[in-house]
Amino acid sequence: MTSSTGTGLTGRELIKGHAAARDFLMLIDPDCQFPLSAGAIAAACDRRTGIGADGLVRVARTKSLPGAERFAEAVPEAEWFMDHYNADGSVAEELGDAARLFAQVLLAESLAEIPEGASVTIGTRAGARAVTRTGDLWTVDMGTVLLPARPEDDGEPGGSDWQGWDTSVLIPGIDGPRAGLSVTMPAMRCAHTAVALVDEAELDAAILVRPDGPGEPVRYEPAPEPGSGLELIVALGEETDPGSGEAVGVARLRLLTSGMGEAPSCGEGCCAAAVALHEWDGPGAPQSYRMLVPGGEIGVHVGASPASDDVAVLLTGPAQITGRITVL
């Protein structure tokens, strides 16, 4: 397949793929021999004049990536580094969706042996991350998630004043303010606001636009960090996993990101939503969640909450290579 894009990537082969409809261009450049510019990346990712994608990832050996020398020494098992960029050419902080496709490419290109049930450690800007293969699915260690500090009651955290939310959110298309919970993923320097809605009719009625785009934006009180994401959640109850017998929470989501507006999927957003549901459900809440997003289905496992109120999460989902493009 060829594409006349004028991207500055002339003559290079790019692998196109997606993870729950989040699509990426993957450049195999083990020794970082090909210089990348923000303009070239943005041109390649442009959906009208370029190839089109939500971002570009260079598949590079960690030891060859400029600036990653100390990381390579500290984590020698992370042979490959996910050099990830947003569609506008800026450096990306997101992890979950691109990491699944990254591992799929390592496997398909015979760059790493990843037998069924095995893991590969990859380098990312959020640190070393393990990605585990289970059939056609990949599970990514997403690190820890931080919830707001809870009010104290007689010196004990989680007092009676804690209602499970800390933000008021006005969403175009939905009447009245809704309660939101701030969820932060420190390793990826990204923040999210999770909002529970009454039913799927409300979810469908919401109008989600980028803060810098046309139309009325979502409004928050207090305002979140710049670049924060929004997760609108409708809980659909619980089901029993036929294999393990454990309870699994099920929810339908819509996701708003600062970079691309409403997204078909967002690994970090799914993790934030699962942690919020786990918090709202209280003692006895499921640890595993099945998230129904516009791009497909994502699984999230929420680890036990330590005293610091942060939790560890694992993200599971598909990844698929859809084509190869030689840039003319």
Side-chain angles (χ1 to χ4, degrees):
M1 185 185 299
T2 61
S3 177
S4 179
T5 64
T7 63
L9 292 165
T10 302
R12 304 295 297 187
E13 181 182 78
L14 301 176
I15 298 172
K16 179 78 180 281
H18 72 92
R22 287 292 296 274
D23 59 341
F24 303 94
L25 300 174
M26 314 293 286
L27 171 65
I28 308 296
D29 186 16
D31 299 318
C32 295
Q33 296 178 328
F34 190 76
L36 288 177
S37 69
I41 293 168
C45 293
D46 190 286
R47 295 193 182 277
R48 292 185 180 273
T49 59
I51 298 165
D54 292 326
L56 182 144
V57 177
R58 172 162 51 187
V59 181
R61 285 194 175 90
T62 304
K63 65 181 182 181
S64 300
L65 187 68
E69 296 84 1
R70 294 181 63 181
F71 181 90
E73 293 176 1
V75 193
E77 63 271 27
E79 178 183 1
W80 296 99
F81 195 96
M82 191 175 78
D83 189 22
H84 183 196
Y85 299 88
N86 295 314
D88 62 1
S90 61
V91 172
E93 300 291 347
E94 293 182 345
L95 171 65
D97 300 309
R100 303 200 309 274
L101 185 59
F102 187 89
Q104 183 68 49
V105 169
L106 290 180
L107 178 67
E109 297 297 297
S110 299
L111 298 174
E113 292 186 9
I114 317 174
E116 170 70 19
S119 300
V120 60
T121 300
I122 63 174
T124 78
R125 294 190 176 93
R129 289 287 180 262
V131 186
T132 304
R133 178 187 174 197
T134 307
D136 295 330
L137 301 177
W138 296 93
T139 297
V140 184
D141 175 2
M142 298 291 286
T144 59
V145 175
L146 185 66
L147 292 171
R150 304 178 187 182
E152 294 189 353
D153 185 3
D154 296 329
E156 294 295 327
S160 58
D161 290 339
W162 174 244
Q163 301 297 319
W165 62 280
D166 64 328
T167 306
S168 177
V169 186
L170 280 170
I171 305 160
I174 298 178
D175 292 334
R178 299 304 167 98
L181 177 63
S182 300
V183 183
T184 305
M185 307 188 78
M188 282 158 274
R189 297 187 290 277
C190 63
H192 297 262
T193 302
V195 176
L197 299 181
V198 174
D199 53 31
E200 294 186 79
E202 279 197 338
L203 185 68
D204 293 333
I207 301 171
L208 300 178
V209 300
R210 287 174 49 165
D212 59 349
E216 183 183 356
V218 175
R219 301 188 183 279
Y220 306 82
E221 181 58 44
E225 298 177 17
S228 293
L230 173 70
E231 290 74 46
L232 302 184
I233 310 165
V234 174
L236 300 177
E238 297 180 10
E239 59 187 24
T240 301
D241 182 273
S244 65
E246 72 168 324
V248 178
V250 183
R252 185 179 158 212
L253 309 184
R254 287 178 65 186
L255 308 120
L256 181 65
T257 69
S258 60
M260 62 178 295
E262 186 169 4
S265 176
C266 173
E268 289 74 13
C270 288
C271 291
V275 170
L277 286 169
H278 187 268
E279 174 73 7
W280 294 329
D281 286 345
Q287 288 190 295
S288 294
Y289 292 85
R290 189 163 66 92
M291 301 302 197
L292 309 180
V293 299
E297 184 176 315
I298 298 293
V300 180
H301 182 80
V302 180
S305 303
S308 62
D309 282 343
D310 58 348
V311 296
V313 289
L314 299 173
L315 175 79
T316 299
Q320 182 179 357
I321 295 172
T322 56
R324 298 173 184 271
I325 303 96
T326 299
V327 182
L328 297 180

